[in-house]
Amino acid sequence: MALPFSFRPPVIAHRGASALAPENTMAAFRLAREQGAVWIETDVKLTRDGVPILMHDDTLDRTTDGKGPVAAQDWADIKKLDAGSWFDPAFTGERVPHLADFLRFALDHNLRINLEIKPCPGRARSTAMVTLIETSKIWPADVLPPLISSFDVEALTIAAQLHPEWPRGLLLEEWDENWQDVMAKTQASLIHLGSDALTQERIALLHKAGIPVLAHTVNSLPRAQELLQQGADGVFWDNPSEIIKTL
Ligand code: G3P
Ligand code: MG
């Protein structure tokens, strides 16, 4: 099927090369690029003072040496945290990236990016607004736009209002029988579905509706082979070289 853009190789580095470097850090993004990934996914959320940072969890505890909710601390404090040593002492000194750092890196290296809007509780509106506005300040209009995704329908709806021309992916963990309603509401054009919920029939159904399908997060070569044979358009992966070298 004709895609609005290409996933070649059909691999999206999940939080960077997050199997081999601390997730959502510049080290993980650099490694993903070195491994040959063209697409990189990352999670965007806001500090207390509204600065867009790259982090998966709502709390600092797992991926930094800080503690407590991200939404309770300012950027001035979060930017001093160590975001590498939890993963491996070799990465001591890695910092929590500002969204702008990632955007500039992607632009410098001609990478395609998937910004997942990952709001802390109650912050969907502000997180979507800041992500879209900050990105549009940096991202040139003549470069292929970022793919915006979210599990959060409000965040996607706001993204659609602010940048209707940027592609949006609806993230689902499980199959949702009401997918057509949600896609219409968010004007999303792709579905990013949990790998276990994908079947050949569902891929065919979505393709018939003109919707590309990305599978997250696969990390199994036999499963990836099956999904790609069934027509999945891309697979999220923690160690991109593992699959890229087989394609
Ligand atoms: O975008 C795919 C994947 O990142 C969604 O789940 O929890 O890893 O952000 P999560
Ligand atoms: Mg994510």
Side-chain angles (χ1 to χ4, degrees):
M1 66 181 300
L3 294 174
F5 38 72
S6 106
F7 291 95
R8 294 290 175 272
V11 178
I12 303 107
H14 180 238
R15 312 180 197 169
S18 58
L20 302 178
E23 65 183 55
N24 286 329
T25 64
M26 294 311 297
F29 303 140
R30 280 194 299 271
L31 188 55
R33 174 183 165 262
E34 285 160 22
Q35 290 190 347
V38 172
W39 278 89
I40 300 181
E41 184 261 5
T42 188
D43 306 296
V44 189
K45 52 177 21 80
L46 300 183
T47 63
R48 176 167 62 183
D49 50 344
V51 174
I53 61 165
L54 308 184
M55 192 174 293
H56 179 272
D57 296 2
D58 289 340
T59 59
L60 298 163
D61 303 52
R62 182 177 64 87
T63 59
T64 75
D65 59 352
K67 285 204 182 316
V70 174
Q73 295 197 40
D74 289 340
W75 171 235
D77 297 314
I78 290 179
K79 73 179 180 187
K80 291 183 202 145
L81 298 176
D82 186 317
S85 55
W86 68 275
F87 185 86
D88 188 297
F91 291 100
T92 301
E94 275 300 316
R95 300 295 174 208
V96 175
H98 189 293
L99 170 62
D101 298 335
F102 176 66
L103 297 176
R104 291 197 184 98
F105 170 78
L107 287 168
D108 284 348
H109 297 288
N110 292 318
L111 296 169
R112 303 297 313 274
I113 59 169
N114 172 200
L115 298 178
E116 180 187 342
I117 302 173
K118 195 79 152 176
C120 291
R123 307 189 92 193
R125 188 177 180 77
S126 53
T127 308
M129 289 183 75
V130 171
T131 302
L132 273 282
I133 291 166
E134 288 290 309
T135 303
S136 61
K137 280 190 214 161
I138 291 173
W139 204 263
D142 59 353
V143 175
L144 287 168
L147 168 59
I148 305 294
S149 65
S150 193
F151 287 102
D152 191 296
V153 170
E154 186 184 7
L156 281 181
T157 306
I158 289 163
Q161 288 163 1
L162 290 179
H163 266 286
E165 76 285 14
W166 287 5
R168 284 169 299 286
L170 171 65
L171 265 162
L172 297 172
E173 199 61 57
E174 306 288 343
W175 181 246
D176 181 352
E177 291 297 342
N178 294 321
W179 62 270
Q180 282 166 308
D181 294 343
V182 188
M183 293 294 280
K185 184 172 163 59
T186 56
Q187 297 167 50
S189 52
L190 298 89
I191 286 187
H192 307 186
L193 182 60
S195 161
D196 291 345
L198 265 176
T199 62
Q200 185 149 27
E201 292 69 30
R202 289 170 179 170
I203 294 170
L205 180 70
L206 294 171
H207 278 181
K208 205 170 158 202
I211 299 170
V213 187
L214 306 180
H216 64 89
T217 298
V218 184
N219 291 342
S220 152
L221 289 173
R223 180 66 178 140
Q225 196 176 23
E226 185 177 47
L227 286 167
L228 293 170
Q229 271 168 5
Q230 291 173 352
D233 299 285
V235 290
F236 290 87
W237 211 277
D238 291 336
N239 181 2
S241 71
E242 213 170 44
I243 177 164
I244 290 171
K245 68 188 177 199
T246 71
L247 294 170

